[in-house]
Coordinates of all heavy atoms in Angstrom, one line a residue:
M184 N 27.7 -61.9 22.7 CA 26.6 -61.0 22.5 C 25.9 -60.7 23.8 O 25.7 -61.6 24.7 CB 25.6 -61.6 21.5 CG 24.5 -60.7 21.2 SD 23.4 -61.5 20.0 CE 21.9 -60.9 20.5
I185 N 25.6 -59.5 24.0 CA 24.8 -59.1 25.2 C 23.4 -58.8 24.8 O 23.1 -57.9 24.1 CB 25.5 -57.9 25.9 CG1 26.9 -58.2 26.3 CG2 24.6 -57.4 27.1 CD1 27.7 -57.0 26.7
D186 N 22.5 -59.7 25.3 CA 21.1 -59.5 25.0 C 20.5 -58.3 25.8 O 20.9 -58.1 27.0 CB 20.3 -60.8 25.4 CG 20.6 -62.0 24.6 OD1 20.9 -61.8 23.4 OD2 20.6 -63.1 25.1
Q187 N 19.6 -57.6 25.2 CA 19.0 -56.5 25.9 C 17.5 -56.9 26.1 O 16.8 -57.2 25.2 CB 19.0 -55.2 25.0 CG 20.3 -54.7 24.6 CD 21.2 -54.3 25.8 OE1 20.7 -53.5 26.6 NE2 22.4 -54.7 25.8
I188 N 17.2 -57.1 27.4 CA 15.8 -57.6 27.7 C 15.1 -56.7 28.7 O 15.8 -56.2 29.6 CB 15.9 -59.0 28.3 CG1 16.8 -59.1 29.5 CG2 16.4 -60.0 27.2 CD1 16.7 -60.4 30.3
P189 N 13.8 -56.5 28.5 CA 13.1 -55.8 29.5 C 12.9 -56.7 30.8 O 12.9 -57.9 30.7 CB 11.8 -55.5 28.8 CG 11.6 -56.6 27.8 CD 13.0 -56.9 27.4
P190 N 12.6 -56.1 31.9 CA 12.4 -56.9 33.1 C 11.3 -57.9 32.9 O 11.4 -59.0 33.5 CB 12.0 -55.8 34.2 CG 12.5 -54.6 33.7 CD 12.5 -54.6 32.2
T191 N 10.3 -57.6 32.2 CA 9.2 -58.6 32.0 C 9.6 -59.8 31.2 O 8.9 -60.8 31.2 CB 8.0 -57.9 31.2 OG1 8.5 -57.3 30.0 CG2 7.4 -56.8 32.1
A192 N 10.7 -59.8 30.5 CA 11.2 -60.9 29.7 C 12.3 -61.7 30.4 O 12.9 -62.6 29.9 CB 11.7 -60.5 28.4
L193 N 12.7 -61.3 31.7 CA 13.8 -61.9 32.4 C 13.6 -63.4 32.6 O 14.5 -64.2 32.3 CB 14.0 -61.2 33.7 CG 15.2 -61.7 34.6 CD1 16.5 -61.5 33.8 CD2 15.2 -60.9 35.9
A194 N 12.4 -63.8 33.1 CA 12.2 -65.3 33.3 C 12.3 -66.1 32.0 O 12.9 -67.2 32.0 CB 10.8 -65.5 33.9
D195 N 11.8 -65.5 30.9 CA 11.9 -66.2 29.6 C 13.3 -66.3 29.2 O 13.7 -67.4 28.6 CB 11.0 -65.5 28.5 CG 9.6 -65.7 28.8 OD1 9.1 -66.6 29.5 OD2 8.8 -64.8 28.3
W196 N 14.1 -65.3 29.4 CA 15.5 -65.3 29.0 C 16.3 -66.4 29.7 O 17.0 -67.1 29.2 CB 16.2 -63.9 29.2 CG 17.6 -63.9 28.7 CD1 18.0 -63.6 27.4 CD2 18.8 -64.1 29.4 NE1 19.3 -63.7 27.3 CE2 19.9 -63.9 28.6 CE3 19.0 -64.3 30.8 CZ2 21.2 -64.1 29.0 CZ3 20.3 -64.5 31.2 CH2 21.4 -64.4 30.3
F197 N 16.0 -66.4 31.1 CA 16.7 -67.4 31.8 C 16.3 -68.8 31.4 O 17.1 -69.8 31.4 CB 16.5 -67.3 33.3 CG 17.4 -66.2 34.0 CD1 16.8 -65.2 34.7 CD2 18.7 -66.3 33.8 CE1 17.6 -64.2 35.3 CE2 19.6 -65.3 34.4 CZ 19.0 -64.3 35.2
A198 N 15.0 -69.0 31.1 CA 14.5 -70.3 30.7 C 15.1 -70.8 29.4 O 15.3 -72.0 29.1 CB 13.0 -70.3 30.5
Q199 N 15.6 -69.9 28.5 CA 16.2 -70.2 27.3 C 17.7 -70.5 27.4 O 18.3 -71.0 26.4 CB 16.0 -69.0 26.3 CG 14.6 -68.8 25.9 CD 14.5 -67.5 25.1 OE1 15.5 -66.9 24.7 NE2 13.2 -67.1 24.9
H200 N 18.3 -70.3 28.6 CA 19.7 -70.5 28.8 C 19.9 -71.5 29.9 O 19.6 -71.1 31.1 CB 20.4 -69.2 29.1 CG 20.3 -68.2 27.9 ND1 19.2 -67.4 27.7 CD2 21.1 -68.0 26.8 CE1 19.4 -66.7 26.6 NE2 20.5 -67.1 26.1
P201 N 20.4 -72.7 29.6 CA 20.6 -73.7 30.7 C 21.6 -73.2 31.7 O 22.5 -72.5 31.4 CB 21.1 -74.9 29.9 CG 21.6 -74.4 28.6 CD 20.9 -73.1 28.3
G202 N 21.4 -73.7 32.9 CA 22.3 -73.3 34.1 C 21.5 -72.6 35.1 O 20.4 -72.3 35.0
T203 N 22.2 -72.4 36.3 CA 21.6 -71.8 37.4 C 21.6 -70.3 37.2 O 22.7 -69.7 37.0 CB 22.4 -72.1 38.7 OG1 22.4 -73.5 38.8 CG2 21.7 -71.5 39.9
P204 N 20.4 -69.6 37.1 CA 20.4 -68.2 36.8 C 20.9 -67.3 37.9 O 20.8 -67.6 39.1 CB 18.9 -67.9 36.6 CG 18.2 -69.0 37.3 CD 19.1 -70.2 37.3
L205 N 21.6 -66.2 37.4 CA 22.1 -65.2 38.4 C 21.8 -63.8 37.9 O 21.9 -63.5 36.7 CB 23.7 -65.4 38.4 CG 24.4 -64.3 39.2 CD1 24.0 -64.4 40.7 CD2 25.9 -64.5 39.0
M206 N 21.3 -63.0 38.8 CA 21.1 -61.6 38.5 C 22.1 -60.8 39.4 O 22.1 -61.0 40.6 CB 19.7 -61.1 38.7 CG 19.5 -59.7 38.3 SD 17.8 -59.1 38.6 CE 17.9 -58.8 40.4
I207 N 22.8 -59.9 38.8 CA 23.7 -59.1 39.6 C 23.2 -57.6 39.5 O 23.0 -57.0 38.5 CB 25.2 -59.1 39.0 CG1 25.7 -60.5 39.0 CG2 26.1 -58.2 39.9 CD1 27.0 -60.6 38.3
D208 N 22.9 -57.1 40.7 CA 22.5 -55.7 40.9 C 23.7 -54.9 41.1 O 24.4 -55.0 42.1 CB 21.5 -55.6 42.1 CG 20.8 -54.3 42.2 OD1 21.4 -53.3 41.7 OD2 19.8 -54.2 42.8
V209 N 24.0 -54.0 40.2 CA 25.3 -53.2 40.2 C 25.0 -51.8 40.8 O 25.9 -51.0 40.7 CB 26.0 -53.1 38.9 CG1 26.3 -54.5 38.4 CG2 25.2 -52.4 37.8
R210 N 23.9 -51.6 41.4 CA 23.6 -50.2 41.9 C 24.3 -50.0 43.2 O 24.9 -50.9 43.8 CB 22.1 -50.1 42.2 CG 21.3 -50.1 40.9 CD 19.8 -50.0 41.2 NE 19.3 -51.2 41.9 CZ 18.3 -51.2 42.8 NH1 17.6 -50.2 43.0 NH2 18.0 -52.4 43.4
E211 N 24.4 -48.8 43.7 CA 25.0 -48.4 45.0 C 24.1 -48.8 46.1 O 22.8 -48.9 45.9 CB 25.3 -46.9 44.9 CG 26.4 -46.5 43.9 CD 27.7 -47.2 44.2 OE1 28.1 -47.3 45.3 OE2 28.3 -47.7 43.2
P212 N 24.6 -48.9 47.3 CA 23.8 -49.3 48.5 C 22.6 -48.4 48.7 O 21.5 -48.9 49.0 CB 24.7 -49.3 49.6 CG 26.1 -49.5 49.0 CD 26.0 -48.9 47.7
H213 N 22.7 -47.1 48.6 CA 21.6 -46.3 48.8 C 20.5 -46.5 47.8 O 19.3 -46.3 48.1 CB 22.0 -44.8 48.9 CG 22.5 -44.2 47.6 ND1 23.7 -44.4 47.1 CD2 21.8 -43.5 46.6 CE1 23.8 -43.8 45.9 NE2 22.7 -43.3 45.6
E214 N 20.8 -46.9 46.6 CA 19.8 -47.1 45.6 C 19.0 -48.4 45.9 O 17.8 -48.5 45.7 CB 20.4 -47.2 44.2 CG 21.1 -46.0 43.7 CD 21.8 -46.2 42.4 OE1 22.9 -46.8 42.4 OE2 21.3 -45.7 41.4
V215 N 19.8 -49.4 46.3 CA 19.2 -50.7 46.6 C 18.2 -50.6 47.8 O 17.2 -51.2 47.9 CB 20.2 -51.8 46.9 CG1 19.6 -53.1 47.4 CG2 21.1 -52.0 45.6
A216 N 18.6 -49.7 48.8 CA 17.8 -49.5 50.0 C 16.4 -48.9 49.6 O 15.4 -49.1 50.3 CB 18.5 -48.6 50.9
M217 N 16.4 -48.1 48.5 CA 15.1 -47.4 48.1 C 14.2 -48.4 47.4 O 13.0 -48.3 47.5 CB 15.4 -46.2 47.2 CG 16.1 -45.1 47.9 SD 16.2 -43.6 46.9 CE 16.9 -44.1 45.4
F218 N 14.8 -49.4 46.6 CA 14.0 -50.3 45.8 C 14.8 -51.5 45.6 O 15.8 -51.5 44.9 CB 13.5 -49.7 44.5 CG 12.6 -50.5 43.7 CD1 11.3 -50.6 44.0 CD2 13.1 -51.2 42.6 CE1 10.4 -51.4 43.3 CE2 12.2 -52.0 41.8 CZ 10.9 -52.1 42.2
S219 N 14.3 -52.7 46.1 CA 15.0 -53.9 46.0 C 14.3 -54.8 45.1 O 13.0 -54.9 45.1 CB 15.2 -54.6 47.3 OG 16.0 -55.7 47.2
V220 N 15.0 -55.6 44.2 CA 14.4 -56.5 43.3 C 14.9 -57.9 43.5 O 16.1 -58.1 43.6 CB 14.7 -56.1 41.8 CG1 14.2 -57.1 40.8 CG2 14.1 -54.7 41.5
K221 N 14.0 -58.9 43.7 CA 14.5 -60.3 43.8 C 13.5 -61.2 43.0 O 12.5 -61.7 43.6 CB 14.4 -60.7 45.3 CG 15.5 -59.9 46.1 CD 15.6 -60.5 47.5 CE 16.3 -59.7 48.5 NZ 17.5 -59.1 48.4
P222 N 13.8 -61.4 41.8 CA 13.0 -62.3 40.9 C 13.0 -63.7 41.5 O 14.0 -64.2 42.0 CB 13.6 -62.3 39.6 CG 14.6 -61.2 39.6 CD 15.0 -60.9 41.0
Q223 N 11.8 -64.3 41.5 CA 11.6 -65.7 42.0 C 12.5 -66.7 41.2 O 12.5 -66.6 39.9 CB 10.2 -66.1 41.9 CG 9.8 -67.3 42.6 CD 8.4 -67.6 42.7 OE1 7.6 -66.9 42.1 NE2 8.0 -68.5 43.5
G224 N 13.1 -67.6 41.9 CA 13.9 -68.6 41.2 C 15.2 -68.2 40.7 O 15.9 -69.0 39.9
V225 N 15.7 -67.0 41.0 CA 17.0 -66.5 40.5 C 17.8 -66.1 41.7 O 17.4 -65.3 42.6 CB 16.7 -65.3 39.6 CG1 18.0 -64.6 39.1 CG2 15.8 -65.6 38.4
E226 N 19.1 -66.5 41.7 CA 20.0 -66.0 42.7 C 20.3 -64.6 42.4 O 20.6 -64.2 41.3 CB 21.3 -66.8 42.8 CG 22.2 -66.3 43.8 CD 23.6 -67.1 43.8 OE1 23.8 -68.0 43.1 OE2 24.5 -66.6 44.6
C227 N 20.3 -63.7 43.4 CA 20.6 -62.3 43.2 C 21.8 -61.9 44.0 O 21.8 -62.2 45.2 CB 19.4 -61.4 43.6 SG 17.9 -61.8 42.7
L228 N 22.7 -61.3 43.4 CA 23.9 -60.7 44.1 C 23.9 -59.2 44.0 O 23.6 -58.7 43.0 CB 25.2 -61.3 43.5 CG 25.5 -62.7 43.6 CD1 26.8 -63.1 42.9 CD2 25.7 -63.1 45.1
F229 N 24.3 -58.6 45.1 CA 24.5 -57.2 45.1 C 26.0 -56.9 45.0 O 26.8 -57.3 45.9 CB 23.9 -56.6 46.4 CG 24.3 -55.1 46.6 CD1 23.9 -54.2 45.7 CD2 25.0 -54.8 47.7 CE1 24.3 -52.8 45.9 CE2 25.4 -53.5 47.9 CZ 25.0 -52.5 47.0
M230 N 26.4 -56.3 43.9 CA 27.8 -56.0 43.6 C 27.8 -54.6 43.0 O 27.7 -54.5 41.8 CB 28.5 -57.0 42.7 CG 28.7 -58.3 43.2 SD 29.5 -59.3 41.9 CE 30.2 -60.6 42.9
P231 N 28.0 -53.5 43.7 CA 28.1 -52.2 43.1 C 29.2 -52.2 42.0 O 30.2 -53.0 42.1 CB 28.6 -51.3 44.3 CG 28.1 -52.0 45.5 CD 28.2 -53.5 45.2
M232 N 28.9 -51.5 41.0 CA 29.7 -51.5 39.7 C 31.2 -51.4 40.0 O 32.0 -52.2 39.4 CB 29.3 -50.3 38.8 CG 30.0 -50.3 37.5 SD 29.2 -49.0 36.5 CE 30.6 -48.4 35.6
G233 N 31.6 -50.6 40.9 CA 33.0 -50.4 41.2 C 33.7 -51.6 41.9 O 34.9 -51.6 41.9
T234 N 32.9 -52.5 42.4 CA 33.5 -53.7 43.1 C 33.7 -54.9 42.1 O 34.3 -55.8 42.5 CB 32.7 -54.1 44.3 OG1 31.4 -54.6 43.8 CG2 32.4 -52.9 45.2
I235 N 33.1 -54.8 41.0 CA 33.1 -56.0 40.1 C 34.5 -56.5 39.8 O 34.8 -57.7 39.9 CB 32.3 -55.7 38.8 CG1 30.9 -55.4 39.1 CG2 32.4 -56.8 37.8 CD1 30.0 -56.5 39.5
P236 N 35.5 -55.6 39.3 CA 36.8 -56.2 39.0 C 37.4 -56.9 40.2 O 38.0 -58.0 40.0 CB 37.6 -54.9 38.6 CG 36.6 -54.0 38.2 CD 35.4 -54.2 39.0
D237 N 37.3 -56.4 41.4 CA 37.9 -57.1 42.6 C 37.2 -58.4 43.0 O 37.7 -59.2 43.6 CB 37.9 -56.2 43.8 CG 38.9 -55.0 43.6 OD1 39.9 -55.2 42.8 OD2 38.8 -54.0 44.2
R238 N 35.9 -58.5 42.5 CA 35.1 -59.7 42.9 C 34.9 -60.7 41.8 O 34.1 -61.6 41.9 CB 33.8 -59.2 43.5 CG 33.9 -58.3 44.7 CD 32.6 -57.9 45.3 NE 31.8 -59.0 45.8 CZ 30.5 -58.9 46.2 NH1 30.0 -57.7 46.2 NH2 29.9 -59.9 46.6
L239 N 35.6 -60.5 40.7 CA 35.4 -61.3 39.5 C 35.5 -62.8 39.8 O 34.8 -63.6 39.2 CB 36.4 -60.9 38.4 CG 36.1 -61.3 37.0 CD1 34.8 -60.8 36.5 CD2 37.2 -60.7 36.1
A240 N 36.4 -63.2 40.7 CA 36.6 -64.6 41.0 C 35.4 -65.2 41.6 O 35.3 -66.5 41.6 CB 37.8 -64.7 41.9
E241 N 34.4 -64.4 42.1 CA 33.2 -65.0 42.7 C 32.2 -65.4 41.7 O 31.2 -66.0 42.0 CB 32.6 -63.9 43.6 CG 33.4 -63.5 44.8 CD 32.7 -62.3 45.6 OE1 31.5 -62.4 45.8 OE2 33.5 -61.4 46.0
L242 N 32.4 -65.0 40.4 CA 31.5 -65.3 39.4 C 31.9 -66.4 38.4 O 33.1 -66.6 38.2 CB 31.3 -64.0 38.6 CG 30.9 -62.7 39.4 CD1 30.8 -61.5 38.5 CD2 29.5 -63.0 40.1
D243 N 30.9 -67.1 37.9 CA 31.2 -68.2 37.0 C 30.9 -67.7 35.5 O 29.8 -67.3 35.2 CB 30.2 -69.4 37.3 CG 30.4 -70.5 36.4 OD1 31.1 -70.4 35.4 OD2 29.7 -71.6 36.6
P244 N 31.9 -67.6 34.7 CA 31.7 -67.1 33.3 C 30.8 -67.9 32.5 O 30.3 -67.5 31.4 CB 33.1 -67.1 32.7 CG 34.0 -67.9 33.6 CD 33.3 -68.0 34.9
K245 N 30.4 -69.2 32.9 CA 29.5 -70.0 32.1 C 28.1 -69.9 32.5 O 27.2 -70.5 31.9 CB 30.0 -71.5 32.1 CG 31.4 -71.7 31.6 CD 31.4 -71.4 30.1 CE 32.8 -71.6 29.5 NZ 33.0 -70.9 28.3
R246 N 27.9 -69.2 33.6 CA 26.5 -69.1 34.2 C 25.7 -68.0 33.5 O 26.2 -66.9 33.2 CB 26.7 -68.8 35.7 CG 25.4 -68.9 36.5 CD 25.8 -68.8 37.9 NE 24.6 -68.9 38.7 CZ 24.6 -68.7 40.0 NH1 25.6 -68.3 40.7 NH2 23.4 -68.8 40.7
P247 N 24.4 -68.3 33.1 CA 23.6 -67.2 32.6 C 23.4 -66.1 33.6 O 22.9 -66.3 34.7 CB 22.3 -67.9 32.2 CG 22.3 -69.2 33.0 CD 23.7 -69.5 33.3
T248 N 23.8 -64.9 33.2 CA 23.9 -63.8 34.1 C 23.2 -62.6 33.5 O 23.5 -62.1 32.4 CB 25.4 -63.4 34.5 OG1 26.0 -64.6 35.0 CG2 25.5 -62.3 35.4
A249 N 22.3 -62.0 34.3 CA 21.6 -60.8 33.9 C 22.1 -59.7 34.8 O 22.3 -59.9 36.0 CB 20.1 -60.9 34.0
L250 N 22.2 -58.5 34.3 CA 22.8 -57.3 35.0 C 21.7 -56.3 35.1 O 21.0 -56.0 34.2 CB 24.0 -56.8 34.4 CG 25.1 -57.9 34.5 CD1 25.7 -58.1 33.1 CD2 26.1 -57.6 35.5
L251 N 21.6 -55.7 36.3 CA 20.6 -54.7 36.7 C 21.2 -53.5 37.3 O 22.1 -53.5 38.1 CB 19.6 -55.3 37.7 CG 18.5 -54.4 38.2 CD1 17.5 -54.1 37.1 CD2 17.9 -55.1 39.4
C252 N 20.7 -52.3 36.9 CA 21.0 -51.0 37.6 C 19.8 -50.2 37.6 O 18.7 -50.7 37.5 CB 22.2 -50.3 36.9 SG 21.9 -49.7 35.3
A253 N 19.9 -48.9 37.7 CA 18.7 -48.0 37.8 C 18.0 -47.9 36.5 O 16.8 -47.9 36.4 CB 19.1 -46.7 38.4
A254 N 18.8 -47.6 35.4 CA 18.2 -47.4 34.1 C 18.7 -48.2 33.0 O 18.3 -48.1 31.9 CB 18.4 -45.9 33.8
G255 N 19.7 -49.0 33.2 CA 20.3 -49.9 32.2 C 21.6 -49.5 31.6 O 22.2 -50.2 30.8
M256 N 22.1 -48.3 32.0 CA 23.4 -47.9 31.5 C 24.6 -48.5 32.2 O 25.5 -49.0 31.5 CB 23.5 -46.3 31.6 CG 22.3 -45.6 30.9 SD 22.3 -46.0 29.1 CE 23.6 -44.9 28.6
R257 N 24.7 -48.4 33.5 CA 25.8 -49.0 34.3 C 25.8 -50.5 34.1 O 26.9 -51.1 33.9 CB 25.7 -48.7 35.8 CG 26.1 -47.3 36.1 CD 25.9 -47.0 37.6 NE 24.4 -46.9 37.8 CZ 23.9 -46.8 39.0 NH1 24.6 -46.8 40.1 NH2 22.6 -46.6 39.1
S258 N 24.7 -51.2 34.1 CA 24.6 -52.6 33.9 C 25.1 -53.0 32.5 O 25.8 -54.0 32.4 CB 23.2 -53.2 34.1 OG 22.3 -52.5 33.3
Q259 N 24.9 -52.2 31.5 CA 25.4 -52.4 30.2 C 27.0 -52.3 30.2 O 27.7 -53.2 29.6 CB 24.9 -51.5 29.1 CG 25.4 -51.6 27.7 CD 25.1 -52.9 27.1 OE1 24.2 -53.6 27.4 NE2 25.9 -53.3 26.0
R260 N 27.5 -51.4 30.9 CA 29.0 -51.2 31.0 C 29.6 -52.4 31.7 O 30.6 -52.9 31.3 CB 29.3 -49.9 31.7 CG 29.1 -48.7 30.8 CD 29.3 -47.4 31.5 NE 30.7 -47.3 32.0 CZ 31.1 -46.5 32.9 NH1 30.2 -45.6 33.5 NH2 32.4 -46.5 33.3
V261 N 28.9 -52.9 32.7 CA 29.4 -54.1 33.4 C 29.3 -55.3 32.5 O 30.2 -56.1 32.5 CB 28.7 -54.3 34.8 CG1 29.1 -55.6 35.4 CG2 29.0 -53.2 35.7
A262 N 28.2 -55.4 31.8 CA 28.1 -56.6 30.9 C 29.2 -56.6 29.8 O 29.8 -57.6 29.5 CB 26.7 -56.5 30.2
L263 N 29.5 -55.4 29.3 CA 30.7 -55.3 28.4 C 32.0 -55.7 29.0 O 32.8 -56.4 28.4 CB 30.7 -53.9 27.8 CG 29.6 -53.5 26.8 CD1 29.6 -52.0 26.5 CD2 29.7 -54.3 25.5
F264 N 32.2 -55.3 30.2 CA 33.4 -55.7 31.0 C 33.4 -57.2 31.2 O 34.5 -57.8 30.9 CB 33.5 -55.0 32.3 CG 34.6 -55.5 33.2 CD1 35.9 -55.1 33.0 CD2 34.3 -56.4 34.3 CE1 36.9 -55.6 33.8 CE2 35.3 -56.8 35.1 CZ 36.6 -56.4 34.9
L265 N 32.3 -57.8 31.6 CA 32.3 -59.2 31.8 C 32.5 -60.0 30.5 O 33.2 -61.0 30.5 CB 31.0 -59.6 32.5 CG 30.8 -59.2 33.9 CD1 29.4 -59.6 34.4 CD2 31.9 -59.7 34.9
Q266 N 31.9 -59.5 29.5 CA 32.1 -60.1 28.2 C 33.6 -60.2 27.8 O 34.1 -61.2 27.3 CB 31.3 -59.4 27.1 CG 31.4 -60.0 25.7 CD 30.5 -59.2 24.7 OE1 30.6 -58.0 24.6 NE2 29.7 -59.9 24.0
A267 N 34.3 -59.1 28.0 CA 35.7 -59.0 27.7 C 36.5 -59.9 28.6 O 37.6 -60.3 28.3 CB 36.2 -57.6 27.9
Q268 N 35.9 -60.4 29.8 CA 36.6 -61.3 30.7 C 36.3 -62.7 30.4 O 36.6 -63.6 31.1 CB 36.2 -61.0 32.1 CG 36.5 -59.5 32.6 CD 37.9 -59.1 32.3 OE1 38.9 -59.8 32.7 NE2 38.1 -58.0 31.6
G269 N 35.5 -63.0 29.3 CA 35.2 -64.3 28.9 C 33.8 -64.8 29.3 O 33.5 -66.0 29.1
F270 N 33.0 -64.0 29.8 CA 31.6 -64.4 30.1 C 30.8 -64.5 28.8 O 30.9 -63.6 28.0 CB 31.0 -63.4 31.1 CG 31.5 -63.5 32.5 CD1 32.8 -63.1 32.8 CD2 30.7 -64.0 33.5 CE1 33.3 -63.2 34.1 CE2 31.2 -64.1 34.8 CZ 32.5 -63.7 35.1
D271 N 30.0 -65.6 28.7 CA 29.4 -65.8 27.4 C 27.9 -65.7 27.3 O 27.3 -65.7 26.2 CB 30.0 -67.0 26.7 CG 29.8 -68.3 27.5 OD1 29.1 -68.2 28.6 OD2 30.3 -69.3 27.1
T272 N 27.2 -65.8 28.5 CA 25.8 -65.7 28.4 C 25.3 -64.6 29.3 O 25.1 -64.7 30.5 CB 25.2 -67.1 28.9 OG1 25.8 -68.1 28.2 CG2 23.7 -67.1 28.7
L273 N 25.2 -63.4 28.7 CA 24.9 -62.2 29.4 C 23.7 -61.5 28.9 O 23.4 -61.5 27.7 CB 26.1 -61.2 29.3 CG 27.4 -61.7 30.0 CD1 28.5 -60.8 29.5 CD2 27.3 -61.7 31.5
A274 N 23.0 -60.8 29.8 CA 21.8 -60.0 29.4 C 21.9 -58.7 30.3 O 22.2 -58.7 31.4 CB 20.5 -60.7 29.7
N275 N 21.6 -57.6 29.6 CA 21.4 -56.3 30.3 C 19.9 -56.1 30.4 O 19.2 -56.2 29.4 CB 22.0 -55.2 29.5 CG 21.8 -53.9 30.1 OD1 22.1 -53.7 31.3 ND2 21.4 -52.9 29.4
I276 N 19.5 -55.9 31.6 CA 18.0 -55.6 31.9 C 17.8 -54.2 31.5 O 18.1 -53.2 32.2 CB 17.6 -55.9 33.3 CG1 18.0 -57.4 33.6 CG2 16.2 -55.6 33.5 CD1 17.8 -57.8 35.1
S277 N 17.2 -54.0 30.3 CA 17.0 -52.7 29.7 C 16.0 -51.9 30.5 O 15.0 -52.4 31.0 CB 16.6 -52.8 28.2 OG 15.4 -53.5 28.1
G278 N 16.3 -50.7 30.8 CA 15.5 -49.8 31.6 C 15.7 -50.0 33.1 O 15.2 -49.1 33.9
G279 N 16.4 -51.0 33.5 CA 16.7 -51.2 34.9 C 15.5 -51.3 35.8 O 14.4 -51.6 35.4
V280 N 15.7 -50.9 37.1 CA 14.6 -51.0 38.0 C 13.6 -49.9 37.7 O 12.4 -50.0 38.1 CB 15.1 -50.8 39.5 CG1 15.9 -52.0 39.9 CG2 15.8 -49.5 39.7
S281 N 14.0 -48.9 36.9 CA 13.0 -47.9 36.5 C 11.9 -48.5 35.6 O 10.8 -48.0 35.5 CB 13.7 -46.8 35.7 OG 14.6 -46.1 36.5
A282 N 12.2 -49.6 34.9 CA 11.3 -50.3 34.0 C 10.6 -51.5 34.7 O 9.8 -52.2 34.1 CB 12.0 -50.7 32.7
W283 N 11.0 -51.8 36.0 CA 10.4 -52.9 36.6 C 8.9 -52.8 36.9 O 8.5 -51.7 37.3 CB 11.2 -53.1 38.0 CG 11.2 -54.6 38.4 CD1 10.3 -55.2 39.2 CD2 12.2 -55.5 38.0 NE1 10.7 -56.5 39.3 CE2 11.9 -56.7 38.6 CE3 13.4 -55.4 37.2 CZ2 12.6 -57.9 38.4 CZ3 14.1 -56.6 37.1 CH2 13.7 -57.8 37.6
P284 N 8.2 -53.8 36.6 CA 6.7 -53.7 36.8 C 6.3 -53.6 38.3 O 7.0 -54.2 39.1 CB 6.1 -55.0 36.2 CG 7.3 -55.9 35.9 CD 8.5 -55.1 36.0
A285 N 5.3 -52.8 38.5 CA 4.9 -52.6 39.9 C 4.2 -53.8 40.5 O 3.8 -54.7 39.9 CB 3.9 -51.4 40.0

């Protein structure tokens, strides 16, 4: 199951799932340059959506992982892909950086 969580609930979601938290930002480099997000206490990786299949070996399928993009659509697609690859603790950050609190 892929949880849909708003950015404001990210810390609570990670607290409910044991393990070292990971957030993957799947936006393109020019998007990240405009607005970068680094939640406290969470390892953040930048992996543009198109690079995920080639970089799959870098990820731990047992690690609680939240996915982020601009509005929540690309991150949902990546979450579905990861789920099909055996990842079991996934969250899509609904609304993406567009919903991130100021």
Side-chain angles (χ1 to χ4, degrees):
M184 180 175 147
I185 299 167
D186 294 326
Q187 302 295 315
I188 57 167
T191 55
L193 184 60
D195 290 338
W196 185 84
F197 279 128
Q199 295 170 9
H200 298 88
T203 306
L205 173 65
M206 184 182 80
I207 302 173
D208 189 334
V209 302
R210 295 176 297 152
E211 294 299 317
H213 69 276
E214 295 173 288
V215 174
M217 290 188 314
F218 184 77
S219 182
V220 174
K221 294 189 189 318
Q223 188 173 13
V225 176
E226 179 184 356
C227 300
L228 290 179
F229 168 63
M230 292 183 157
M232 184 173 147
T234 69
I235 299 288
D237 291 336
R238 296 181 67 186
L239 199 56
E241 297 176 40
L242 304 174
D243 179 355
K245 299 297 180 199
R246 193 171 180 188
T248 302
L250 295 130
L251 175 72
C252 69
M256 302 299 283
R257 285 176 286 174
S258 53
Q259 176 66 19
R260 288 177 55 200
V261 172
L263 290 168
F264 171 77
L265 291 177
Q266 183 180 50
Q268 305 307 309
F270 287 69
D271 56 6
T272 308
L273 296 166
N275 180 46
I276 302 173
S277 58
V280 295
S281 298
W283 210 267

